[in-house]
Amino acid sequence: MDRYKILHDIEEGTYGTVVKAINKKSNEIVAIKKMKQKFYSWDECMALREIKSLRKLNHKNIVKLKEVIRVNDDLYFVFEFMDKNIYQNIKD
């Protein structure tokens, strides 16, 4: 997580909190989801259906999972950053 600088919170959900961050090296803006649940092994993380699915999916209408990071039993998903979610796009 040292590669990223947190800019601000975006949203808190049932399974975690999403923040907007910037990659310190590339200056790429990303969204980082921190899972509420603790994960005590890498195998436990990789068994999650969300990770299994997102790693395989590659479609223009699905947010790209860039990397998965586990630090001190906390699990983070790094996604490409989108300005709006699907609900906001439909509403507009």
Short mmCIF file of all heavy atoms in Angstrom, two decimals, residues 26-92:
data_model
loop_
_atom_site.label_atom_id
_atom_site.label_comp_id
_atom_site.label_asym_id
_atom_site.label_seq_id
_atom_site.Cartn_x
_atom_site.Cartn_y
_atom_site.Cartn_z
N SER A 26 3.31 6.24 -10.95
CA SER A 26 2.76 6.49 -12.29
C SER A 26 1.75 7.65 -12.33
O SER A 26 1.33 8.06 -13.39
CB SER A 26 2.07 5.23 -12.81
OG SER A 26 0.90 4.97 -12.06
N ASN A 27 1.34 8.14 -11.16
CA ASN A 27 0.31 9.18 -11.03
C ASN A 27 -1.05 8.73 -11.55
O ASN A 27 -1.91 9.56 -11.83
CB ASN A 27 0.73 10.48 -11.72
CG ASN A 27 1.80 11.20 -10.94
OD1 ASN A 27 1.83 11.15 -9.71
ND2 ASN A 27 2.70 11.85 -11.64
N GLU A 28 -1.26 7.43 -11.67
CA GLU A 28 -2.56 6.90 -12.09
C GLU A 28 -3.54 6.96 -10.92
O GLU A 28 -3.21 6.60 -9.79
CB GLU A 28 -2.40 5.45 -12.54
CG GLU A 28 -3.71 4.82 -12.96
CD GLU A 28 -3.57 3.35 -13.32
OE1 GLU A 28 -2.58 2.72 -12.93
OE2 GLU A 28 -4.47 2.86 -14.01
N ILE A 29 -4.75 7.45 -11.20
CA ILE A 29 -5.82 7.50 -10.20
C ILE A 29 -6.48 6.12 -10.15
O ILE A 29 -6.82 5.56 -11.20
CB ILE A 29 -6.86 8.58 -10.55
CG1 ILE A 29 -6.21 9.96 -10.63
CG2 ILE A 29 -8.00 8.58 -9.54
CD1 ILE A 29 -5.68 10.49 -9.33
N VAL A 30 -6.68 5.59 -8.95
CA VAL A 30 -7.31 4.28 -8.77
C VAL A 30 -8.34 4.36 -7.65
O VAL A 30 -8.37 5.33 -6.88
CB VAL A 30 -6.25 3.19 -8.42
CG1 VAL A 30 -5.28 2.98 -9.57
CG2 VAL A 30 -5.51 3.51 -7.14
N ALA A 31 -9.17 3.32 -7.57
CA ALA A 31 -10.08 3.14 -6.45
C ALA A 31 -9.59 1.93 -5.67
O ALA A 31 -9.28 0.90 -6.26
CB ALA A 31 -11.50 2.91 -6.95
N ILE A 32 -9.49 2.07 -4.36
CA ILE A 32 -9.02 0.97 -3.53
C ILE A 32 -10.12 0.58 -2.55
O ILE A 32 -10.63 1.43 -1.80
CB ILE A 32 -7.75 1.35 -2.76
CG1 ILE A 32 -6.63 1.72 -3.74
CG2 ILE A 32 -7.32 0.21 -1.84
CD1 ILE A 32 -5.36 2.21 -3.08
N LYS A 33 -10.49 -0.69 -2.60
CA LYS A 33 -11.50 -1.22 -1.69
C LYS A 33 -10.80 -1.98 -0.58
O LYS A 33 -10.06 -2.93 -0.84
CB LYS A 33 -12.44 -2.16 -2.45
CG LYS A 33 -13.51 -2.80 -1.59
CD LYS A 33 -14.38 -3.71 -2.45
CE LYS A 33 -15.47 -4.39 -1.67
NZ LYS A 33 -16.30 -5.25 -2.53
N LYS A 34 -11.02 -1.57 0.68
CA LYS A 34 -10.48 -2.28 1.83
C LYS A 34 -11.59 -3.13 2.41
O LYS A 34 -12.64 -2.61 2.81
CB LYS A 34 -9.96 -1.31 2.90
CG LYS A 34 -9.42 -2.03 4.12
CD LYS A 34 -9.00 -1.07 5.20
CE LYS A 34 -8.49 -1.85 6.41
NZ LYS A 34 -8.26 -0.97 7.55
N MET A 35 -11.38 -4.43 2.44
CA MET A 35 -12.38 -5.35 2.94
C MET A 35 -12.46 -5.26 4.46
O MET A 35 -11.45 -5.08 5.14
CB MET A 35 -12.03 -6.79 2.54
CG MET A 35 -11.96 -7.00 1.04
SD MET A 35 -13.53 -6.75 0.22
CE MET A 35 -14.38 -8.23 0.69
N LYS A 36 -13.69 -5.36 5.00
CA LYS A 36 -13.88 -5.31 6.45
C LYS A 36 -13.39 -6.58 7.12
O LYS A 36 -12.85 -6.54 8.21
CB LYS A 36 -15.37 -5.10 6.77
CG LYS A 36 -15.85 -3.71 6.45
CD LYS A 36 -17.30 -3.53 6.81
CE LYS A 36 -17.77 -2.13 6.47
NZ LYS A 36 -19.20 -1.95 6.74
N GLN A 37 -13.59 -7.71 6.45
CA GLN A 37 -13.17 -9.00 7.00
C GLN A 37 -11.65 -9.10 7.02
O GLN A 37 -10.97 -8.60 6.14
CB GLN A 37 -13.75 -10.12 6.12
CG GLN A 37 -13.35 -11.51 6.55
CD GLN A 37 -13.88 -12.57 5.58
OE1 GLN A 37 -14.77 -12.31 4.79
NE2 GLN A 37 -13.32 -13.75 5.64
N LYS A 38 -11.11 -9.75 8.03
CA LYS A 38 -9.67 -10.01 8.13
C LYS A 38 -9.35 -11.31 7.38
O LYS A 38 -10.14 -12.24 7.37
CB LYS A 38 -9.23 -10.14 9.58
CG LYS A 38 -9.43 -8.89 10.39
CD LYS A 38 -8.48 -7.80 9.96
CE LYS A 38 -8.63 -6.57 10.84
NZ LYS A 38 -7.85 -5.46 10.37
N PHE A 39 -8.19 -11.36 6.75
CA PHE A 39 -7.74 -12.53 6.01
C PHE A 39 -6.36 -12.92 6.53
O PHE A 39 -5.42 -12.13 6.47
CB PHE A 39 -7.69 -12.23 4.50
CG PHE A 39 -9.06 -12.00 3.93
CD1 PHE A 39 -9.65 -10.75 3.96
CD2 PHE A 39 -9.77 -13.05 3.38
CE1 PHE A 39 -10.92 -10.55 3.44
CE2 PHE A 39 -11.04 -12.87 2.86
CZ PHE A 39 -11.61 -11.61 2.89
N TYR A 40 -6.27 -14.16 7.02
CA TYR A 40 -5.07 -14.59 7.72
C TYR A 40 -4.09 -15.37 6.84
O TYR A 40 -3.01 -15.74 7.30
CB TYR A 40 -5.46 -15.39 8.97
CG TYR A 40 -6.34 -14.54 9.88
CD1 TYR A 40 -7.70 -14.76 9.94
CD2 TYR A 40 -5.79 -13.49 10.61
CE1 TYR A 40 -8.50 -13.95 10.75
CE2 TYR A 40 -6.58 -12.68 11.40
CZ TYR A 40 -7.94 -12.92 11.47
OH TYR A 40 -8.73 -12.13 12.26
N SER A 41 -4.46 -15.62 5.58
CA SER A 41 -3.55 -16.27 4.66
C SER A 41 -3.86 -15.82 3.23
O SER A 41 -4.97 -15.39 2.93
CB SER A 41 -3.67 -17.80 4.74
OG SER A 41 -4.85 -18.24 4.12
N TRP A 42 -2.85 -15.93 2.38
CA TRP A 42 -3.03 -15.55 0.97
C TRP A 42 -4.01 -16.51 0.29
O TRP A 42 -4.81 -16.10 -0.54
CB TRP A 42 -1.68 -15.53 0.27
CG TRP A 42 -1.76 -14.97 -1.11
CD1 TRP A 42 -1.54 -15.64 -2.27
CD2 TRP A 42 -2.12 -13.64 -1.49
NE1 TRP A 42 -1.72 -14.81 -3.35
CE2 TRP A 42 -2.08 -13.57 -2.89
CE3 TRP A 42 -2.46 -12.49 -0.78
CZ2 TRP A 42 -2.37 -12.41 -3.60
CZ3 TRP A 42 -2.75 -11.34 -1.49
CH2 TRP A 42 -2.71 -11.31 -2.87
N ASP A 43 -3.96 -17.80 0.65
CA ASP A 43 -4.88 -18.79 0.07
C ASP A 43 -6.33 -18.45 0.39
O ASP A 43 -7.22 -18.61 -0.44
CB ASP A 43 -4.55 -20.20 0.58
CG ASP A 43 -3.24 -20.72 0.02
OD1 ASP A 43 -2.83 -20.25 -1.07
OD2 ASP A 43 -2.64 -21.58 0.66
N GLU A 44 -6.57 -17.96 1.61
CA GLU A 44 -7.92 -17.55 2.01
C GLU A 44 -8.40 -16.39 1.13
O GLU A 44 -9.56 -16.36 0.71
CB GLU A 44 -7.88 -17.13 3.48
CG GLU A 44 -9.22 -16.81 4.09
CD GLU A 44 -9.12 -16.36 5.54
OE1 GLU A 44 -8.00 -16.20 6.08
OE2 GLU A 44 -10.19 -16.16 6.13
N CYS A 45 -7.51 -15.47 0.82
CA CYS A 45 -7.85 -14.33 -0.05
C CYS A 45 -8.20 -14.80 -1.45
O CYS A 45 -9.20 -14.38 -2.03
CB CYS A 45 -6.67 -13.35 -0.14
SG CYS A 45 -6.14 -12.65 1.41
N MET A 46 -7.34 -15.64 -2.01
CA MET A 46 -7.51 -16.08 -3.39
C MET A 46 -8.73 -16.99 -3.57
O MET A 46 -9.16 -17.23 -4.70
CB MET A 46 -6.24 -16.76 -3.89
CG MET A 46 -5.03 -15.82 -3.90
SD MET A 46 -5.33 -14.19 -4.60
CE MET A 46 -5.46 -14.57 -6.31
N ALA A 47 -9.29 -17.50 -2.49
CA ALA A 47 -10.48 -18.35 -2.56
C ALA A 47 -11.77 -17.52 -2.70
O ALA A 47 -12.83 -18.09 -3.00
CB ALA A 47 -10.56 -19.24 -1.33
N LEU A 48 -11.68 -16.21 -2.52
CA LEU A 48 -12.88 -15.37 -2.64
C LEU A 48 -13.43 -15.40 -4.06
O LEU A 48 -12.68 -15.23 -5.02
CB LEU A 48 -12.55 -13.92 -2.28
CG LEU A 48 -12.32 -13.60 -0.82
CD1 LEU A 48 -11.85 -12.16 -0.67
CD2 LEU A 48 -13.59 -13.81 -0.02
N ARG A 49 -14.74 -15.57 -4.18
CA ARG A 49 -15.38 -15.58 -5.50
C ARG A 49 -15.18 -14.27 -6.24
O ARG A 49 -15.00 -14.24 -7.45
CB ARG A 49 -16.86 -15.90 -5.38
CG ARG A 49 -17.14 -17.36 -5.11
CD ARG A 49 -18.60 -17.61 -5.01
NE ARG A 49 -19.04 -17.01 -3.75
CZ ARG A 49 -20.30 -16.86 -3.39
NH1 ARG A 49 -21.26 -17.24 -4.18
NH2 ARG A 49 -20.61 -16.32 -2.24
N GLU A 50 -15.20 -13.16 -5.50
CA GLU A 50 -15.03 -11.84 -6.12
C GLU A 50 -13.67 -11.76 -6.83
O GLU A 50 -13.58 -11.28 -7.96
CB GLU A 50 -15.14 -10.75 -5.07
CG GLU A 50 -15.07 -9.35 -5.64
CD GLU A 50 -15.36 -8.26 -4.62
OE1 GLU A 50 -15.56 -8.56 -3.43
OE2 GLU A 50 -15.39 -7.09 -5.04
N ILE A 51 -12.64 -12.23 -6.19
CA ILE A 51 -11.30 -12.19 -6.80
C ILE A 51 -11.22 -13.14 -7.98
O ILE A 51 -10.73 -12.78 -9.06
CB ILE A 51 -10.21 -12.53 -5.77
CG1 ILE A 51 -10.11 -11.43 -4.74
CG2 ILE A 51 -8.86 -12.73 -6.46
CD1 ILE A 51 -9.11 -11.68 -3.64
N LYS A 52 -11.73 -14.35 -7.81
CA LYS A 52 -11.69 -15.33 -8.90
C LYS A 52 -12.40 -14.79 -10.13
O LYS A 52 -11.90 -14.91 -11.26
CB LYS A 52 -12.35 -16.64 -8.47
CG LYS A 52 -11.53 -17.45 -7.50
CD LYS A 52 -12.28 -18.72 -7.13
CE LYS A 52 -11.51 -19.56 -6.14
NZ LYS A 52 -12.26 -20.77 -5.79
N SER A 53 -13.55 -14.18 -9.94
CA SER A 53 -14.33 -13.66 -11.06
C SER A 53 -13.66 -12.46 -11.72
O SER A 53 -13.49 -12.41 -12.94
CB SER A 53 -15.73 -13.24 -10.60
OG SER A 53 -16.42 -14.33 -10.07
N LEU A 54 -13.28 -11.48 -10.91
CA LEU A 54 -12.71 -10.24 -11.45
C LEU A 54 -11.38 -10.46 -12.17
O LEU A 54 -11.07 -9.76 -13.13
CB LEU A 54 -12.56 -9.20 -10.35
CG LEU A 54 -13.86 -8.58 -9.85
CD1 LEU A 54 -13.61 -7.75 -8.59
CD2 LEU A 54 -14.50 -7.73 -10.93
N ARG A 55 -10.60 -11.43 -11.72
CA ARG A 55 -9.32 -11.69 -12.38
C ARG A 55 -9.52 -12.25 -13.79
O ARG A 55 -8.70 -12.03 -14.67
CB ARG A 55 -8.49 -12.67 -11.55
CG ARG A 55 -7.95 -12.02 -10.28
CD ARG A 55 -7.15 -12.97 -9.44
NE ARG A 55 -5.91 -13.31 -10.14
CZ ARG A 55 -5.24 -14.42 -9.93
NH1 ARG A 55 -5.65 -15.30 -9.07
NH2 ARG A 55 -4.13 -14.65 -10.58
N LYS A 56 -10.63 -12.95 -14.00
CA LYS A 56 -10.89 -13.57 -15.30
C LYS A 56 -11.62 -12.64 -16.26
O LYS A 56 -11.52 -12.81 -17.47
CB LYS A 56 -11.70 -14.84 -15.11
CG LYS A 56 -10.94 -15.94 -14.42
CD LYS A 56 -11.79 -17.17 -14.25
CE LYS A 56 -11.03 -18.25 -13.49
NZ LYS A 56 -11.85 -19.43 -13.26
N LEU A 57 -12.36 -11.67 -15.73
CA LEU A 57 -13.20 -10.82 -16.57
C LEU A 57 -12.40 -9.71 -17.23
O LEU A 57 -11.59 -9.04 -16.60
CB LEU A 57 -14.33 -10.21 -15.75
CG LEU A 57 -15.35 -11.22 -15.22
CD1 LEU A 57 -16.30 -10.53 -14.26
CD2 LEU A 57 -16.12 -11.85 -16.36
N ASN A 58 -12.65 -9.52 -18.51
CA ASN A 58 -12.03 -8.44 -19.25
C ASN A 58 -13.06 -7.92 -20.25
O ASN A 58 -13.22 -8.46 -21.34
CB ASN A 58 -10.77 -8.92 -19.97
CG ASN A 58 -10.02 -7.79 -20.62
OD1 ASN A 58 -10.28 -6.62 -20.34
ND2 ASN A 58 -9.11 -8.12 -21.51
N HIS A 59 -13.79 -6.88 -19.84
CA HIS A 59 -14.86 -6.33 -20.67
C HIS A 59 -14.92 -4.83 -20.45
O HIS A 59 -14.68 -4.36 -19.33
CB HIS A 59 -16.20 -6.98 -20.28
CG HIS A 59 -17.29 -6.67 -21.23
ND1 HIS A 59 -18.02 -5.50 -21.16
CD2 HIS A 59 -17.80 -7.36 -22.28
CE1 HIS A 59 -18.93 -5.49 -22.12
NE2 HIS A 59 -18.80 -6.61 -22.81
N LYS A 60 -15.25 -4.09 -21.48
CA LYS A 60 -15.26 -2.63 -21.38
C LYS A 60 -16.27 -2.10 -20.36
O LYS A 60 -16.14 -0.99 -19.88
CB LYS A 60 -15.52 -2.00 -22.75
CG LYS A 60 -16.88 -2.32 -23.31
CD LYS A 60 -17.10 -1.66 -24.65
CE LYS A 60 -18.51 -1.97 -25.15
NZ LYS A 60 -18.83 -1.24 -26.34
N ASN A 61 -17.29 -2.89 -20.02
CA ASN A 61 -18.32 -2.45 -19.08
C ASN A 61 -18.10 -2.96 -17.66
O ASN A 61 -18.97 -2.80 -16.81
CB ASN A 61 -19.70 -2.89 -19.57
CG ASN A 61 -20.09 -2.18 -20.85
OD1 ASN A 61 -19.67 -1.06 -21.10
ND2 ASN A 61 -20.87 -2.83 -21.67
N ILE A 62 -16.96 -3.58 -17.41
CA ILE A 62 -16.64 -4.08 -16.08
C ILE A 62 -15.36 -3.41 -15.61
O ILE A 62 -14.35 -3.39 -16.32
CB ILE A 62 -16.48 -5.62 -16.09
CG1 ILE A 62 -17.80 -6.28 -16.51
CG2 ILE A 62 -16.03 -6.12 -14.72
CD1 ILE A 62 -17.71 -7.77 -16.68
N VAL A 63 -15.40 -2.87 -14.40
CA VAL A 63 -14.23 -2.19 -13.84
C VAL A 63 -13.09 -3.20 -13.69
O VAL A 63 -13.28 -4.30 -13.18
CB VAL A 63 -14.58 -1.57 -12.46
CG1 VAL A 63 -13.36 -0.94 -11.83
CG2 VAL A 63 -15.68 -0.54 -12.62
N LYS A 64 -11.92 -2.81 -14.13
CA LYS A 64 -10.75 -3.70 -14.14
C LYS A 64 -10.10 -3.76 -12.76
O LYS A 64 -9.80 -2.74 -12.16
CB LYS A 64 -9.73 -3.16 -15.16
CG LYS A 64 -8.46 -3.93 -15.23
CD LYS A 64 -8.54 -4.97 -16.32
CE LYS A 64 -7.20 -5.63 -16.51
NZ LYS A 64 -7.22 -7.04 -16.23
N LEU A 65 -9.90 -5.00 -12.29
CA LEU A 65 -9.15 -5.24 -11.06
C LEU A 65 -7.66 -5.20 -11.42
O LEU A 65 -7.18 -6.01 -12.21
CB LEU A 65 -9.51 -6.59 -10.45
CG LEU A 65 -8.73 -7.00 -9.21
CD1 LEU A 65 -9.00 -6.05 -8.04
CD2 LEU A 65 -9.07 -8.43 -8.82
N LYS A 66 -6.93 -4.25 -10.86
CA LYS A 66 -5.52 -4.08 -11.20
C LYS A 66 -4.61 -4.95 -10.34
O LYS A 66 -3.65 -5.53 -10.83
CB LYS A 66 -5.11 -2.62 -11.06
CG LYS A 66 -5.85 -1.72 -12.04
CD LYS A 66 -5.31 -0.32 -11.95
CE LYS A 66 -5.35 0.39 -13.25
NZ LYS A 66 -4.75 -0.22 -14.37
N GLU A 67 -4.90 -5.00 -9.05
CA GLU A 67 -4.09 -5.85 -8.17
C GLU A 67 -4.82 -6.11 -6.86
O GLU A 67 -5.77 -5.41 -6.51
CB GLU A 67 -2.71 -5.25 -7.91
CG GLU A 67 -2.68 -3.95 -7.15
CD GLU A 67 -1.25 -3.45 -6.92
OE1 GLU A 67 -0.39 -4.23 -6.45
OE2 GLU A 67 -1.00 -2.29 -7.22
N VAL A 68 -4.35 -7.13 -6.16
CA VAL A 68 -4.87 -7.49 -4.84
C VAL A 68 -3.69 -7.42 -3.88
O VAL A 68 -2.62 -7.96 -4.16
CB VAL A 68 -5.47 -8.91 -4.84
CG1 VAL A 68 -5.98 -9.28 -3.47
CG2 VAL A 68 -6.59 -9.02 -5.88
N ILE A 69 -3.90 -6.73 -2.76
CA ILE A 69 -2.82 -6.53 -1.79
C ILE A 69 -3.30 -6.99 -0.41
O ILE A 69 -4.41 -6.66 0.00
CB ILE A 69 -2.41 -5.04 -1.72
CG1 ILE A 69 -1.98 -4.54 -3.09
CG2 ILE A 69 -1.32 -4.82 -0.68
CD1 ILE A 69 -1.81 -3.03 -3.18
N ARG A 70 -2.45 -7.74 0.28
CA ARG A 70 -2.76 -8.14 1.65
C ARG A 70 -1.66 -7.61 2.55
O ARG A 70 -0.49 -7.90 2.35
CB ARG A 70 -2.83 -9.66 1.77
CG ARG A 70 -3.23 -10.14 3.14
CD ARG A 70 -3.39 -11.66 3.18
NE ARG A 70 -3.17 -12.11 4.52
CZ ARG A 70 -2.05 -12.65 4.98
NH1 ARG A 70 -1.04 -12.86 4.17
NH2 ARG A 70 -1.94 -13.01 6.24
N VAL A 71 -2.05 -6.77 3.53
CA VAL A 71 -1.10 -6.18 4.47
C VAL A 71 -1.66 -6.35 5.88
O VAL A 71 -2.77 -5.90 6.17
CB VAL A 71 -0.88 -4.67 4.18
CG1 VAL A 71 0.07 -4.06 5.18
CG2 VAL A 71 -0.41 -4.45 2.77
N ASN A 72 -0.89 -7.01 6.73
CA ASN A 72 -1.29 -7.19 8.14
C ASN A 72 -2.72 -7.71 8.27
O ASN A 72 -3.53 -7.16 9.02
CB ASN A 72 -1.14 -5.88 8.92
CG ASN A 72 0.30 -5.41 8.94
OD1 ASN A 72 1.22 -6.20 8.93
ND2 ASN A 72 0.49 -4.10 8.92
N ASP A 73 -3.06 -8.74 7.54
CA ASP A 73 -4.38 -9.39 7.57
C ASP A 73 -5.50 -8.54 6.98
O ASP A 73 -6.67 -8.92 7.05
CB ASP A 73 -4.76 -9.86 8.98
CG ASP A 73 -3.76 -10.84 9.56
OD1 ASP A 73 -3.14 -11.59 8.76
OD2 ASP A 73 -3.60 -10.88 10.78
N ASP A 74 -5.19 -7.37 6.43
CA ASP A 74 -6.17 -6.55 5.72
C ASP A 74 -6.03 -6.82 4.23
O ASP A 74 -4.91 -6.94 3.71
CB ASP A 74 -5.96 -5.06 5.99
CG ASP A 74 -6.33 -4.67 7.41
OD1 ASP A 74 -7.32 -5.21 7.92
OD2 ASP A 74 -5.63 -3.82 7.98
N LEU A 75 -7.16 -6.89 3.54
CA LEU A 75 -7.16 -7.18 2.11
C LEU A 75 -7.65 -5.95 1.34
O LEU A 75 -8.66 -5.35 1.70
CB LEU A 75 -8.07 -8.37 1.81
CG LEU A 75 -8.09 -8.87 0.37
CD1 LEU A 75 -6.71 -9.39 -0.05
CD2 LEU A 75 -9.13 -9.96 0.20
N TYR A 76 -6.92 -5.59 0.28
CA TYR A 76 -7.24 -4.43 -0.54
C TYR A 76 -7.36 -4.86 -2.00
O TYR A 76 -6.52 -5.61 -2.49
CB TYR A 76 -6.13 -3.39 -0.45
CG TYR A 76 -5.86 -2.89 0.95
CD1 TYR A 76 -4.95 -3.54 1.78
CD2 TYR A 76 -6.50 -1.76 1.43
CE1 TYR A 76 -4.70 -3.09 3.06
CE2 TYR A 76 -6.25 -1.29 2.71
CZ TYR A 76 -5.35 -1.96 3.52
OH TYR A 76 -5.11 -1.50 4.79
N PHE A 77 -8.38 -4.35 -2.68
CA PHE A 77 -8.54 -4.54 -4.12
C PHE A 77 -8.25 -3.19 -4.76
O PHE A 77 -8.84 -2.19 -4.39
CB PHE A 77 -9.96 -4.94 -4.51
CG PHE A 77 -10.44 -6.25 -3.95
CD1 PHE A 77 -11.79 -6.53 -3.92
CD2 PHE A 77 -9.57 -7.20 -3.48
CE1 PHE A 77 -12.26 -7.73 -3.44
CE2 PHE A 77 -10.03 -8.41 -2.99
CZ PHE A 77 -11.38 -8.68 -2.96
N VAL A 78 -7.35 -3.16 -5.74
CA VAL A 78 -7.04 -1.92 -6.46
C VAL A 78 -7.72 -2.01 -7.83
O VAL A 78 -7.44 -2.92 -8.61
CB VAL A 78 -5.52 -1.73 -6.62
CG1 VAL A 78 -5.23 -0.44 -7.37
CG2 VAL A 78 -4.83 -1.75 -5.26
N PHE A 79 -8.63 -1.07 -8.09
CA PHE A 79 -9.41 -1.04 -9.33
C PHE A 79 -9.06 0.19 -10.15
O PHE A 79 -8.60 1.19 -9.59
CB PHE A 79 -10.91 -0.95 -9.02
CG PHE A 79 -11.50 -2.15 -8.37
CD1 PHE A 79 -11.66 -2.22 -7.01
CD2 PHE A 79 -11.92 -3.23 -9.14
CE1 PHE A 79 -12.24 -3.32 -6.40
CE2 PHE A 79 -12.50 -4.34 -8.56
CZ PHE A 79 -12.66 -4.39 -7.18
N GLU A 80 -9.35 0.13 -11.45
CA GLU A 80 -9.30 1.35 -12.24
C GLU A 80 -10.34 2.30 -11.65
O GLU A 80 -11.34 1.86 -11.08
CB GLU A 80 -9.57 1.07 -13.72
CG GLU A 80 -10.98 0.61 -14.01
CD GLU A 80 -11.22 0.38 -15.49
OE1 GLU A 80 -10.76 1.18 -16.31
OE2 GLU A 80 -11.89 -0.60 -15.81
N PHE A 81 -10.10 3.59 -11.73
CA PHE A 81 -11.03 4.57 -11.16
C PHE A 81 -12.07 4.98 -12.18
O PHE A 81 -11.74 5.27 -13.33
CB PHE A 81 -10.27 5.80 -10.66
CG PHE A 81 -11.17 6.83 -10.06
CD1 PHE A 81 -11.68 6.65 -8.79
CD2 PHE A 81 -11.53 7.96 -10.77
CE1 PHE A 81 -12.54 7.58 -8.24
CE2 PHE A 81 -12.38 8.90 -10.23
CZ PHE A 81 -12.89 8.71 -8.95
N MET A 82 -13.32 5.01 -11.75
CA MET A 82 -14.43 5.47 -12.58
C MET A 82 -15.06 6.68 -11.89
O MET A 82 -15.27 6.66 -10.67
CB MET A 82 -15.48 4.38 -12.75
CG MET A 82 -14.93 3.07 -13.32
SD MET A 82 -14.19 3.23 -14.94
CE MET A 82 -15.60 3.54 -15.94
N ASP A 83 -15.37 7.72 -12.66
CA ASP A 83 -15.96 8.93 -12.09
C ASP A 83 -17.35 8.69 -11.51
O ASP A 83 -17.75 9.34 -10.55
CB ASP A 83 -16.05 10.04 -13.14
CG ASP A 83 -14.68 10.59 -13.50
OD1 ASP A 83 -13.81 10.62 -12.61
OD2 ASP A 83 -14.51 10.98 -14.65
N LYS A 84 -18.10 7.77 -12.12
CA LYS A 84 -19.48 7.50 -11.70
C LYS A 84 -19.69 5.99 -11.59
O LYS A 84 -19.00 5.23 -12.23
CB LYS A 84 -20.49 8.02 -12.73
CG LYS A 84 -20.47 9.51 -12.95
CD LYS A 84 -21.49 9.86 -13.98
CE LYS A 84 -21.52 11.34 -14.30
NZ LYS A 84 -22.52 11.66 -15.31
N ASN A 85 -20.71 5.62 -10.81
CA ASN A 85 -21.11 4.21 -10.80
C ASN A 85 -22.28 4.04 -11.77
O ASN A 85 -22.78 5.01 -12.33
CB ASN A 85 -21.44 3.71 -9.39
CG ASN A 85 -22.61 4.43 -8.77
OD1 ASN A 85 -23.56 4.80 -9.46
ND2 ASN A 85 -22.57 4.63 -7.46
N ILE A 86 -22.71 2.83 -11.97
CA ILE A 86 -23.76 2.57 -12.96
C ILE A 86 -25.07 3.27 -12.62
O ILE A 86 -25.77 3.77 -13.49
CB ILE A 86 -23.97 1.06 -13.20
CG1 ILE A 86 -24.86 0.85 -14.41
CG2 ILE A 86 -24.60 0.39 -12.01
CD1 ILE A 86 -24.50 -0.32 -15.25
N TYR A 87 -25.39 3.35 -11.34
CA TYR A 87 -26.62 4.03 -10.92
C TYR A 87 -26.56 5.52 -11.30
O TYR A 87 -27.52 6.06 -11.83
CB TYR A 87 -26.83 3.89 -9.41
CG TYR A 87 -28.00 4.71 -8.91
CD1 TYR A 87 -29.31 4.32 -9.19
CD2 TYR A 87 -27.80 5.88 -8.19
CE1 TYR A 87 -30.38 5.09 -8.77
CE2 TYR A 87 -28.85 6.64 -7.77
CZ TYR A 87 -30.15 6.24 -8.05
OH TYR A 87 -31.19 7.01 -7.62
N GLN A 88 -25.42 6.15 -11.07
CA GLN A 88 -25.28 7.56 -11.42
C GLN A 88 -25.38 7.77 -12.93
O GLN A 88 -25.97 8.75 -13.39
CB GLN A 88 -23.95 8.11 -10.90
CG GLN A 88 -23.90 8.21 -9.40
CD GLN A 88 -22.49 8.44 -8.87
OE1 GLN A 88 -21.53 7.95 -9.46
NE2 GLN A 88 -22.39 9.15 -7.78
N ASN A 89 -24.82 6.86 -13.72
CA ASN A 89 -24.92 6.97 -15.17
C ASN A 89 -26.35 6.84 -15.66
O ASN A 89 -26.77 7.58 -16.54
CB ASN A 89 -24.06 5.90 -15.85
CG ASN A 89 -22.62 6.32 -15.98
OD1 ASN A 89 -22.32 7.50 -16.04
ND2 ASN A 89 -21.74 5.36 -16.02
N ILE A 90 -27.10 5.91 -15.10
CA ILE A 90 -28.50 5.72 -15.49
C ILE A 90 -29.33 6.93 -15.09
O ILE A 90 -30.17 7.40 -15.85
CB ILE A 90 -29.07 4.43 -14.87
CG1 ILE A 90 -28.39 3.21 -15.49
CG2 ILE A 90 -30.58 4.35 -15.05
CD1 ILE A 90 -28.69 1.90 -14.79
N LYS A 91 -29.09 7.43 -13.88
CA LYS A 91 -29.84 8.58 -13.35
C LYS A 91 -29.61 9.83 -14.20
O LYS A 91 -30.53 10.59 -14.43
CB LYS A 91 -29.42 8.82 -11.92
CG LYS A 91 -30.33 9.74 -11.13
CD LYS A 91 -29.96 9.75 -9.68
CE LYS A 91 -28.98 10.86 -9.45
NZ LYS A 91 -28.64 11.09 -8.07
N ASP A 92 -28.40 10.01 -14.67
CA ASP A 92 -28.08 11.20 -15.49
C ASP A 92 -28.64 11.01 -16.87
O ASP A 92 -29.05 11.73 -17.61
CB ASP A 92 -26.57 11.42 -15.57
CG ASP A 92 -25.99 11.82 -14.21
OD1 ASP A 92 -26.77 12.19 -13.32
OD2 ASP A 92 -24.77 11.73 -14.05
#
